[in-house]
Amino acid sequence: MSALPFAFAYPAILGALVALPVIWWLLRLTPPRPKSEVFPPLKILAAVLKREETPAQSPWWLTLLRMLLAAAVILAIADPVFNPRTNSLAAGGPLVLFVDNGWATAPDWQRRVQTAEALIDDAESAGTPVAVAFTADPTNNAVPGTTTAARDMLRAAEPQPLVPDRERAFEALRAALNGTKPGTLAFLSDGAAAKENDATVRQLADLKPAELRLIEGDTTRTIAITGATNAADAMSVTATRLDSAGAASLPLTAQDAQGRAIAAGTVDFQPGQSVASGSIPAPFEMRNDFARVSIDNLATAGSVHLLDDGFKRRRVVLLSGEAGDEFQPLLSPLYYIQRALQPYADLIQPNTPDLAASIPDLLSQNPSVIIMADIGRLPQETYGPMQRWIANGGTLIRFAGPRLAAAPADDPLVPVTLRQGERALGGALSWAEPQPLADFPNFGPFAGMAKPTDVTVKRQVLAEPTPDLAERTWASLADGTPLVTTKPINAGRIVLFHVSAEATWSNLPISGNFVEMLRRIVQLSRSGGVTSEAGAATTAEALPPFRLLTAKGVLTTETGTARPLIPNAKTEPVSNFDNPPGLYGSEDGFTALNVLPNNAELRPLDTAGINVLREGLIGGETWSAKPALFLIAFLLLLADSLVVMFMGGAFSRLRSAARPAAIIAVAVSTTFFLQPSQLRADDSKPGDDQIFQRLDNTHLAYVVTGEQDVDNISEHGLEGLTEFLTFRTTLEPAPPVGLDLTKDELSFYPIIYWPVSASAPMPSTAAINRIDAYMRAGGTVLFDTRDQFSSLDNNGGASSANGERLQQILANLDIPPLEPVPSDHVLTKSFYLLSSFPGRYSGSPLWIESRQDNRASDTKSTASADGVSPILITGNDLAGAWAVDQNGAPMLPTVPPDEMQREYSYRAGVNIMMYMLTGNYKTDQVHIPALLERLGQ
């Protein structure tokens, strides 16, 4: 059930349409048109004798024009609204808002907030409590409460780069309601099922609400990348979408680690297709530089697919103990290895069968993996380079065969000690039957793979039993004998398959498991290649969060509460509250964790058989036709006036030379009124309402750095100072304002607080120029490096990172000479008597514009000018001391903990504000006795 296409805000006004026939009758007459006649008296008398001087009624088209004018005015007063919002709530229980805030809600999050706030406004009018639960938050306080608390929760919420965990949110909601039946339950959904058989709508219906609303946004932009494969000649990308109604072609962009676009491609959806594949063609070396793939014009975490070292194609060297047989290729030792690795790696083979010459040449090409199929002994001079290559991070994979079985036991390039000869299973002289494979252990690269049921081994080389043999075994036969063993050597490793690479010893090479086993081992190798000279670092088991993905698809260094990722799990890691999407590891190597698992598919929510009221988000969809109707009425009135003037002969009196100018003026005026922009609901400029609001009262302002934690402290800090000013002084500032230096008007604010952060983006040249103009025009900027505490540990006295960033900013500003606040400066007595200006810390002085005169500090002097210093600099973190939470409690402790220091920081803020607003007023009070005496004379 959907809302009506449009409705009238004042439908009673439509009753005036009944009066249109009366208006028709009144508009039939038109004023007589004056006539001018040539003098002959007889001609005038002849004209007088005419019975009819002017038409008895106006032309029908003029009457119709006036009827349309009256109808447009009546309809405009009735205020027709297209796609009006249903603003009635069901009675009988609290309003419950079940809000999705996962990755798919990022593009239209503000509209979702507006929709929820409109429902809260309705609940406030009806006196109904409100409960709010967010599906992408780890915890929810969904107990029905006041509308104010609900608004605060809504404004504090943000979209998360996660798939909604609706099951957890529903359990929290059900526990909070404790059997209370909701009145209106509004599910603000992203439209996609969070998992297979998502029964969220049915579970919400089981709460027995009086009314269940399903509010969804535009699902055509819910698109995600679910896979990327580095194929032989291009990168293959898999994407899924929620709305599969029509065809779509989506542009793809591949970026490197610095965020530069280096390749492009497309993925095309056919009508009715929810999953499609595309490609990004690029050379092998360029594809190895891909760090992420994204869909253009979609700023969501799902539209970004992060890539790690596992994505990069490896360079693999293939060596064999015997030459390939062109007439019997299936018996070649390298045939099945080539077929298994061709889609995933670049294969290199020696140009000469002389291993003494070919191995050094192959090592110079920096391979990641070397595979040796049935090679017993290498030339003696090659063992040194091979061992150095392995120690520096190379991966050597060996396959058994007759040559390896006959090789000496002291071979340093095997992971375990081997027995001489091979073991035969199932032959005429053997009591044992061919052995199947056992379950793969829960460690190693094969963890999580299903045990192959169709693989049997007829011959193998055996390992000598050692205490650590089980730890080195990645796969074994059902009787417990090793099938795949390994040995780490510094940063590299050696892996041995105890069977041959062709199908004579087992049918493993002709099974699909052989491909997956080889692929997993190759992915363990270093992606950038290894030389016999370069060193390499080992990787840790638990990968710490390195860069995390935001809901808008941007990588950030803020890791928050994310926990290390365990890469050796049995199943593929899935993003969750503990491990949000991003990169885990370090700059030397990392693993990518994306929002959706590989080959996931977006499906719509299941609402079959459930009585649910479907609605859309408010915002751009709801608009009023009242302004457009008034504009049409005005244009009709203008046309009617021109017609009456023409019929009255007004234009005939104009001189012939002026007629073209009049026609041009009328045409320009009509064109101006017919501009398409005037047909919208409002002719005011965007932001005018905000400007008028900020002109009504004094606002404290702060610079938005783009770092959430820093901006949050700035906002709460200025709110705390605003409350202090309201209670302690006659100044009652309005709520503080965050400023974007690149576009916001700065002249409305007497002072701007700038928390300097070295990790925030460097302000652009245009932004610094605007700050310079603001300071020249009389504004003041308070720079706070917030580094006094960290500088206490700086024995060398060098500037902190924030201090260096401040120097970079000030290098582009024309600032006056600075000095610490003198003891007799007006800042020390503008409201309170102060000797210092502490914040969270108390060791940094407050720097201001120095006086132009260099008089001694013991004289009772005033500032050199009546103006205010355009710049203040401190490192005491004033906003950190002022910041309070919703309950009025301090958010951050002072260093050292001292509530009197916090009180003095508030007083310092009051003095600064009074100094901004009154200048040298306090200092000028010393001249009052002399002025009064002079006036008395």
Side-chain angles (χ1 to χ4, degrees), residues 569-888:
K570 291 186 178 181
T571 59
E572 179 185 358
V574 178
S575 60
N576 50 43
F577 297 116
D578 293 333
N579 299 122
L583 304 176
Y584 289 81
S586 64
E587 192 172 358
D588 296 330
F590 47 78
T591 295
L593 181 62
N594 290 289
V595 178
L596 297 178
N598 288 333
N599 303 320
E601 181 178 354
L602 294 176
R603 295 184 176 90
L605 280 170
D606 182 15
T607 59
I610 304 175
N611 185 17
V612 59
L613 176 64
R614 289 184 176 270
E615 294 182 4
L617 300 176
I618 67 173
E621 296 180 354
T622 301
W623 62 280
S624 172
K626 180 177 180 179
L629 289 173
F630 271 126
L631 178 61
I632 294 173
F634 175 76
L635 296 177
L636 292 175
L637 177 61
L638 180 62
D640 180 83
S641 301
L642 294 176
V643 169
V644 172
M645 293 174 64
F646 181 81
M647 293 178 64
F651 295 103
S652 63
R653 300 187 183 96
L654 296 176
R655 296 181 179 179
S656 58
R659 288 180 181 176
I663 294 174
I664 293 174
V666 171
V668 171
S669 301
T670 306
T671 304
F672 173 77
F673 285 110
L674 287 177
Q675 289 295 325
S677 60
Q678 301 298 322
L679 297 178
R680 299 303 300 166
D682 194 357
D683 60 353
S684 61
K685 296 181 180 179
D688 284 353
D689 294 340
Q690 185 180 21
I691 291 175
F692 290 141
Q693 292 174 3
R694 295 182 180 178
L695 286 175
D696 288 343
N697 208 334
T698 301
H699 294 262
L700 306 185
Y702 63 94
V703 173
V704 176
T705 63
E707 295 186 336
Q708 182 178 359
D709 294 342
V710 176
D711 295 340
N712 187 44
I713 292 299
S714 298
E715 180 181 5
H716 286 281
L718 295 188
E719 286 177 354
L721 180 59
T722 297
E723 293 179 3
F724 192 89
L725 286 165
T726 301
F727 288 116
R728 298 292 183 91
T729 71
T730 58
L731 177 63
E732 297 182 2
V737 176
L739 298 179
D740 184 348
L741 296 180
T742 60
K743 60 182 180 180
D744 288 337
E745 180 58 47
L746 308 180
S747 60
F748 301 148
Y749 314 102
I751 185 170
I752 297 176
Y753 177 78
W754 190 332
V756 181
S757 176
S759 56
M762 179 68 185
S764 63
T765 303
I768 294 179
N769 290 339
R770 297 190 72 208
I771 278 291
D772 191 26
Y774 166 78
M775 295 168 62
R776 290 178 183 274
T780 298
V781 181
L782 172 56
F783 292 96
D784 195 341
T785 58
R786 306 171 295 115
D787 57 357
Q788 174 58 28
F789 182 69
S790 62
S791 65
L792 296 177
D793 298 331
N794 195 346
N795 298 328
S799 299
S800 65
N802 291 352
E804 293 176 355
R805 173 56 59 88
L806 177 60
Q807 294 176 9
Q808 297 173 5
I809 295 172
L810 296 183
N812 298 318
L813 291 176
D814 184 14
I815 62 172
L818 304 178
E819 66 176 352
V821 175
S823 59
D824 60 340
H825 195 273
V826 65
L827 263 173
T828 63
K829 53 193 173 185
S830 59
F831 195 87
Y832 293 102
L833 296 178
L834 297 177
S835 59
S836 61
F837 299 86
R840 282 191 68 205
Y841 320 118
S842 60
S844 173
L846 179 63
W847 294 82
I848 62 171
E849 179 183 2
S850 64
R851 299 171 178 174
Q852 299 304 315
D853 52 352
N854 294 322
R855 289 174 291 182
S857 59
D858 56 351
T859 61
K860 294 183 178 181
S861 60
T862 61
S864 60
D866 290 336
V868 176
S869 174
I871 183 172
L872 303 176
I873 301 177
T874 184
N876 286 335
D877 191 6
L878 293 175
W882 300 336
V884 294
D885 58 18
Q886 298 175 354
N887 299 322

Side-chain angles (χ1 to χ4, degrees), residues 155-476:
R155 293 167 184 170
E158 292 182 347
Q160 302 297 326
L162 297 169
V163 175
D165 190 348
R166 295 176 180 138
E167 189 70 26
R168 177 185 294 204
F170 174 77
E171 293 300 330
L173 176 62
R174 182 169 60 179
L177 292 177
N178 194 21
T180 303
K181 294 182 179 180
T184 294
L185 197 160
F187 181 14
L188 277 74
S189 170
D190 58 17
K195 59 181 181 180
E196 292 187 8
N197 303 321
D198 191 337
T200 303
V201 179
R202 187 172 302 279
Q203 290 174 331
L204 295 176
D206 291 341
L207 296 178
K208 302 275 192 299
E211 179 186 50
L212 177 58
R213 298 186 186 180
L214 181 60
I215 304 176
E216 296 178 341
D218 183 11
T219 58
T220 59
R221 298 180 63 82
T222 305
I223 307 172
I225 299 177
T226 58
T229 303
N230 203 349
D233 56 352
M235 185 181 70
S236 177
V237 179
T238 304
T240 179
R241 61 175 180 169
L242 184 58
D243 186 357
S244 59
S249 180
L250 303 178
L252 301 173
T253 299
Q255 298 175 340
D256 61 9
Q258 285 73 38
R260 297 171 296 193
I262 56 177
T266 58
V267 55
D268 297 322
F269 288 91
Q270 300 300 323
Q273 188 179 16
S274 61
V275 177
S277 297
S279 63
I280 301 179
F284 159 70
E285 293 80 7
M286 183 177 292
R287 278 182 278 125
N288 272 358
D289 289 336
F290 290 177
R292 57 185 284 168
V293 181
S294 59
I295 302 175
D296 295 351
N297 303 321
L298 286 181
T300 65
S303 65
V304 173
H305 193 79
L306 301 176
L307 306 173
D308 54 19
D309 294 340
F311 162 79
K312 300 178 181 179
R313 290 175 66 88
R314 271 61 170 177
R315 187 173 278 118
V316 178
V317 172
L318 302 181
L319 299 175
S320 174
E322 63 182 27
D325 191 345
E326 296 181 358
F327 300 99
Q328 292 180 319
L330 298 182
L331 299 180
S332 171
L334 297 177
Y335 178 81
Y336 297 105
I337 297 176
Q338 289 175 331
R339 296 302 184 273
L341 293 181
Q342 188 70 40
Y344 308 107
D346 286 308
L347 306 181
I348 305 174
Q349 296 192 43
N351 297 323
T352 173
D354 183 6
L355 296 181
S358 61
I359 287 181
D361 179 63
L362 293 172
L363 290 178
S364 66
Q365 301 183 44
N366 301 337
S368 299
V369 180
I370 295 179
I371 299 179
M372 297 195 307
D374 191 22
I375 294 180
R377 294 288 294 179
L378 293 174
Q380 188 63 35
E381 62 270 21
T382 63
Y383 276 96
M386 284 288 292
Q387 288 175 313
R388 289 193 299 271
W389 174 81
I390 296 173
N392 289 333
T395 299
L396 174 63
I397 303 176
R398 303 191 66 174
F399 284 86
R403 291 178 176 80
L404 182 63
D410 59 349
D411 189 344
L413 298 182
V414 292
V416 293
T417 303
L418 299 178
R419 295 181 179 181
Q420 290 288 333
E422 70 268 13
R423 174 196 183 196
L425 301 171
L429 301 178
S430 174
W431 292 95
E433 295 293 332
Q435 290 289 311
L437 269 64
D439 292 331
F440 292 111
N442 57 1
F443 61 91
F446 310 145
M449 289 181 56
K451 179 183 71 173
T453 58
D454 56 347
V455 174
T456 55
V457 175
K458 297 180 295 184
R459 191 178 296 271
Q460 69 175 142
V461 293
L462 294 177
E464 290 287 353
T466 58
D468 60 347
L469 181 60
E471 299 176 1
R472 296 187 181 183
T473 302
W474 281 351
S476 59

